[in-house]
């Protein structure tokens, strides 16, 4: 039998999952909490027990979606002998994860609109940026790359990946997946120290 804590966690997860579908399909303004509750089979009290507002629910969706895409990148960017190769592998895996329109729409389109650019960046700093900083630091410590600023390089690489994902989402500029991936490889390989 499930404990109260397990039931609360299951309810919260269900709200986030259903809300993600609605936000991705209808946008933020076009999503109504009543529709989310009806699909989830939950009461308004259940919603407000977990989230104070629709915006707070969206923030939870944003964080959950970000973690989901990063988990996919980490799972496919397994540690090997070369930290730079691992960084490339994880970056390409993240791009693949955000090719799913629902994920890209939440993270790259709605997130900055709904939460504001600064707040969505702060949330990103707690998820993907930290991982990127650790990956670049690992490559620096291994002597594979040299950068003036690990954090700035991580932000630049995050921006590169976000632009590639936005190009895929909006087909502007129209670029093939192969060219996107080649551009990411070229950028990261450009950081390598010549031996």
């Amino acid at each position: 039998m499930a404990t109260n804590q397990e039931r609360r966690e299951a309810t919260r997860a269900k709200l986030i999952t259903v809300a993600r579908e609605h936000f991705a399909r209808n946008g933020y303004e076009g999503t109504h909490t009543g529709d989310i509750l009806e699909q989830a089979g939950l009461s308004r009290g259940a919603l407000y027990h977990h989230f104070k507002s629709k915006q707070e629910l969206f923030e939870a969706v944003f964080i959950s979606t970000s973690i989901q895409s990063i988990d996919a990148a980490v799972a496919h960017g397994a540690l090997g002998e070369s930290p730079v190769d691992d960084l490339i592998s994880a970056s390409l895996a993240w791009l693949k994860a955000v090719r799913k329109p629902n994920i890209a729409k939440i993270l790259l389109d709605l997130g900055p609109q709904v939460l504001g650019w600064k707040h969505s960046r702060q949330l990103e700093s707690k998820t993907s940026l930290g991982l990127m900083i650790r990956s670049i630091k690992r490559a620096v410590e291994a002597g594979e790359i040299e950068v003036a600023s690990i954090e700035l390089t991580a932000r630049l690489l995050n921006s590169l990946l976000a632009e590639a994902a936005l190009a895929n989402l909006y087909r502007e500029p129209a670029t093939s997946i192969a060219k996107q991936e080649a551009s990411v490889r070229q950028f990261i390989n450009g950081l390598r120290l010549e031996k």
Side-chain angles (χ1 to χ4, degrees):
M1 182 175 236
T3 65
N4 284 339
Q5 180 66 26
E6 290 169 336
R7 283 192 292 276
R8 280 192 297 275
E9 289 172 6
T11 298
R12 181 180 168 84
K14 188 172 193 178
L15 283 166
I16 291 170
T17 299
V18 173
R20 180 184 294 127
E21 293 172 25
H22 283 265
F23 287 131
R25 182 177 58 240
N26 305 321
Y28 183 77
E29 295 299 326
T31 294
H32 304 286
T33 55
D35 296 334
I36 294 168
L37 294 172
E38 183 179 333
Q39 183 178 339
L42 297 168
S43 68
R44 191 157 299 280
L47 173 67
Y48 290 116
H49 175 75
H50 294 280
F51 306 103
K52 294 176 189 166
S53 64
K54 179 172 135 180
Q55 184 165 349
E56 193 174 290
L57 172 59
F58 179 82
E59 184 173 316
V61 167
F62 180 86
I63 292 168
S64 170
T65 304
S66 180
I67 290 169
Q68 177 186 356
S69 67
I70 292 163
D71 286 350
V74 169
H76 292 91
L79 298 178
E81 291 184 25
S82 166
V84 172
D85 290 342
D86 296 343
L87 181 59
I88 291 169
S89 175
S91 295
L92 296 179
W94 183 85
L95 266 182
K96 182 178 180 180
V98 297
R99 282 191 195 113
K100 297 175 182 169
N102 289 358
I103 292 175
K105 183 136 178 114
I106 296 292
L107 294 180
L108 304 170
D109 186 15
L110 294 176
Q113 289 176 39
V114 175
L115 302 171
W117 177 80
K118 187 174 184 177
H119 187 55
S120 63
R121 254 187 107 193
Q122 288 170 338
L123 294 173
E124 178 189 14
S125 291
K126 294 176 184 176
T127 55
S128 65
L129 186 62
L131 177 63
M132 189 67 71
I133 288 170
R134 288 189 301 276
S135 297
I136 291 172
K137 185 176 181 184
R138 197 170 148 256
V140 167
E141 290 171 350
E144 288 191 55
I145 65 172
E146 184 177 325
V147 296
S149 166
I150 291 174
E151 183 176 344
L152 181 58
T153 303
R155 288 185 184 280
L156 290 171
L157 183 52
N158 264 3
S159 296
L160 171 78
L161 294 172
E163 282 299 318
L166 281 168
N168 188 64
L169 179 65
Y170 293 113
R171 307 285 185 246
E172 193 175 304
T175 308
S176 70
I177 289 171
K179 284 184 180 178
Q180 286 179 2
E181 291 181 354
S183 295
V184 170
R185 278 191 191 89
Q186 185 177 33
F187 179 87
I188 296 172
N189 279 323
L191 300 173
R192 286 187 195 264
L193 289 170
E194 290 186 25
K195 296 213 177 192

